[in-house]
């Protein structure tokens, strides 16, 4: 696979890189994206399920939807795109800033990850915030009650209208601003404030490389837009990397 000369020069001189990832990097692991042609938002409105009011109106329905997604995620495996990002750590200082809640970057071996929208493996009580990540709660197909105070237990994911975890966002933004290259992989870049991450990188002078199967809202900011799947493109870039950094 041929890459632009300017990109290879950037790769050669780079020290710090950031991967800003979205659902597209997990598509090849069999996890549906949100807005693509087979996206889950096509079947139902995010407002119906991925927000706090929906949860309070019908906790069992929302909990069941997350159980369904957890089952899919537990059976899923990281794909070549996740493993390639983990492999980059052999050559460079790598930070992963992900919108995904599927834990696949961690399972692929990445060590510095900021999860902007939470993690589906974690749950907490909405009243006393006790965390419940033990497998016993995985089996409940109704919204479980807190053992301490009887409050409702919810998935530790960021719903629409909710604040992002401030430390994760701030640390992710800092890594993006200090990066030499910011890869934007598998995201439609329509969800804010997460989508500010590559914009902050760009404003701080980082070289923006988009990897997607189609153009997106981020393409106009990209210094280099590579059309293709993450599972195919990223391993090719790692091969180049090992050639350049030998
Ligand atoms: C908040 C829950 C306010 C977890 C999700 C401006 C500023 C701030 C907020 C807003 C704003 N404008 C609008 C808002 C409100 C809203 C928002 O952004 N709405 C959008 C839809 C217009 N934002 C919020 O509500 C956020 N909260 O701002 O709170 C506030 C402020 C102060 C005080 C209190 C409150 C919270 C946003 C988080 C919402 N949670 N999910 C869950 O159940 O999963 S959103 C959902 O979208 C997921 O988290 C996902 O991560 C995120 C982004 O989607 P993508 O990852 O990009 O996935 P998508 O399917 O869209 O795209 C996939 C891409 O991959 C495609 O481009 C496709 O081509 C590509 N692809 C496919 N296959 C491949 C591939 N690429 C490469 N290889 C492949 N093989
Ligand atoms: Zn409680």
């Amino acid at each position: 696979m041929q890459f632009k000369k300017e990109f290879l020069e950037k790769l050669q001189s780079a020290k710090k890189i950031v991967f800003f990832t979205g659902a597209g990097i997990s598509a090849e692991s069999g996890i549906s994206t949100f807005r693509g042609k087979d996206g889950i938002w096509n079947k139902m409105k995010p407002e119906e399920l991925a927000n706090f009011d929906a949860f309070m109106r019908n906790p069992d329905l929302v909990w069941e939807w997350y159980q369904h997604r957890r089952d899919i995620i537990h059976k899923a495996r990281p794909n070549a795109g996740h493993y390639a990002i983990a492999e980059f750590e052999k050559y460079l200082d790598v930070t992963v800033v992900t919108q995904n809640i599927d834990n696949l970057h961690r399972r692929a071996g990445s060590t510095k990850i900021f999860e902007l929208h939470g993690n589906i493996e974690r749950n907490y009580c909405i009243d006393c915030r006790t965390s419940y990540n033990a497998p016993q709660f995985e089996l409940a197909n109704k919204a479980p009650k807190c053992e301490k105070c009887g409050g409702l237990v919810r998935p530790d994911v960021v719903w629409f209208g909710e604040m992002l975890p401030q430390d994760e966002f701030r640390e992710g933004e800092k890594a993006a601003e200090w990066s030499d290259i910011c890869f934007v992989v598998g995201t439609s870049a329509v969800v804010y404030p997460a989508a500010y991450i590559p914009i902050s990188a760009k404003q701080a002078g980082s070289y923006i490389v988009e990897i997607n199967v189609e153009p997106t809202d981020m393409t106009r900011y990209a210094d280099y837009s590579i059309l293709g799947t993450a599972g195919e493109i990223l391993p090719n870039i790692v091969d180049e990397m090992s050639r350049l950094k030998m």
Side-chain angles (χ1 to χ4, degrees):
M1 173 164 219
Q2 287 299 319
F3 294 104
K4 219 162 72 169
K5 187 163 166 295
E6 180 195 52
F7 167 60
L8 295 177
E9 284 161 2
K10 288 282 176 189
L11 207 50
Q12 180 126 35
S13 58
K15 298 234 174 344
K16 293 171 178 282
I17 57 172
V18 158
F19 288 92
F20 176 67
T21 65
I25 194 164
S26 298
E28 292 157 275
S29 294
I31 298 174
S32 304
T33 59
F34 293 88
R35 297 169 186 85
K37 51 188 179 327
D38 60 351
I40 52 174
W41 289 162
N42 300 341
K43 299 181 189 81
M44 41 88 213
K45 294 271 150 294
E47 294 73 27
E48 282 160 14
L49 286 169
N51 76 63
F52 186 69
D53 299 343
F55 179 68
M56 292 316 283
R57 258 197 320 274
N58 193 334
D60 295 345
L61 173 73
V62 174
W63 179 267
E64 210 179 319
W65 182 54
Y66 278 91
Q67 281 298 74
H68 167 67
R69 289 175 65 196
R70 234 191 293 264
D71 291 348
I72 293 167
I73 286 169
H74 279 169
K75 291 178 189 118
R77 298 257 171 288
N79 63 58
H82 296 105
Y83 286 118
I85 288 179
E87 204 173 331
F88 259 101
E89 294 189 11
K90 284 186 201 154
Y91 306 101
L92 295 170
D93 172 338
V94 177
T95 304
V96 176
V97 184
T98 188
Q99 301 169 91
N100 298 342
I101 61 172
D102 59 29
N103 217 25
L104 290 183
H105 283 299
R106 192 165 289 106
R107 286 172 56 189
S110 288
T111 55
K112 195 161 51 164
I113 305 167
F114 295 114
E115 295 172 315
L116 302 184
H117 291 162
N119 183 318
I120 202 168
E121 314 279 341
R122 298 194 302 260
N123 306 285
Y124 65 88
C125 166
I126 60 172
D127 293 332
C128 70
R129 296 193 75 90
T130 303
S131 28
Y132 287 97
N133 306 324
Q136 104 246 14
F137 268 85
E138 305 304 296
L139 304 178
N141 55 20
K142 291 197 174 323
K145 295 281 187 325
C146 174
E147 288 156 3
K148 290 222 175 71
C149 76
L152 274 174
V153 173
R154 60 166 281 178
D156 184 6
V157 298
V158 179
W159 282 329
F160 285 100
E162 292 187 327
M163 288 276 280
L164 275 58
Q166 290 307 294
D167 301 357
E168 302 285 298
F169 187 76
R170 208 182 5 261
E171 290 304 313
E173 195 170 40
K174 215 160 65 185
E177 287 168 348
W178 285 99
S179 67
D180 301 305
I181 303 174
C182 177
F183 290 92
V184 182
V185 187
T187 181
S188 59
V190 297
V191 172
Y192 284 86
Y196 284 131
I197 294 287
I199 296 169
S200 310
K202 174 89 183 172
Q203 283 164 351
S206 183
Y207 186 79
I208 310 300
V209 182
E210 180 178 43
I211 297 170
N212 200 309
V213 293
E214 62 188 13
T216 70
D217 280 10
M218 201 47 66
T219 308
R220 65 192 135 117
Y221 290 106
D223 297 291
Y224 186 19
S225 184
I226 309 174
L227 284 183
T229 64
E232 180 218 346
I233 305 286
L234 285 167
N236 278 300
I237 299 177
V238 170
D239 292 346
E240 281 300 335
M241 188 84 240
S242 59
R243 203 174 52 74
L244 292 170
K245 293 277 181 187
M246 286 315 266

